[in-house]
């Protein structure tokens, strides 16, 4: 005769609870790993797409540029104050 969950004693229920908890943790770990793999694949796929980063060039000296990351250089701030747009500085 099979035991139903209602017929288990305290110790058997605790053992079952422990086994279920371990199984749930393992399942959660597998799901998190799968999600991390899919995110990494999406990131690496996007990185190889050849998307170019915009560079902004100093109007006074085209050899000086800024890629838009980090602190904004003074020449960029001055150009903005003079009425230039970022698009103008990118196309110089």
């Amino acid at each position: 005769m099979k035991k139903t969950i209602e017929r288990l004693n305290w110790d058997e229920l605790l053992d079952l609870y422990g086994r279920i908890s371990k199984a749930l943790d393992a399942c959660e770990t597998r799901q998190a790993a799968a999600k991390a793999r899919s995110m990494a694949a999406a990131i690496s796929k996007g990185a190889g797409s050849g998307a170019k980063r915009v560079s902004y060039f100093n109007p006074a000296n085209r050899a000086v540029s800024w890629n838009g990351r980090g602190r904004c250089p003074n020449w960029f701030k001055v150009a903005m104050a003079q009425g230039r747009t970022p698009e103008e500085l990118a196309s110089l």
Side-chain angles (χ1 to χ4, degrees):
M1 177 174 125
K2 266 189 164 177
K3 275 193 169 180
T4 62
I5 196 164
E6 291 85 12
R7 293 184 180 257
L8 295 176
N9 66 31
W10 180 260
D11 291 332
E12 293 169 327
L13 284 171
L14 282 177
D15 178 56
L16 181 61
Y17 177 76
R19 291 182 8 215
I20 289 172
S21 293
K22 286 179 185 177
L24 286 172
D25 289 342
C27 181
E28 185 178 15
T29 301
R30 285 191 307 270
Q31 287 178 339
K35 185 175 181 179
R37 280 192 300 273
S38 68
M39 289 176 70
I43 289 170
S44 67
K45 183 179 179 183
S49 66
K52 288 189 177 179
R53 217 171 263 239
V54 175
S55 289
Y56 303 100
F57 297 97
N58 183 346
N61 181 2
R62 182 144 167 69
V64 178
S65 66
W66 176 55
N67 67 359
R69 294 183 60 154
R71 289 184 53 168
C72 183
N74 286 333
W75 60 261
F76 190 85
K77 293 175 189 176
V78 169
M80 294 293 106
Q82 292 173 347
R84 296 264 184 136
T85 64
E87 291 80 21
E88 288 176 326
L89 296 176
S91 64
L92 282 177

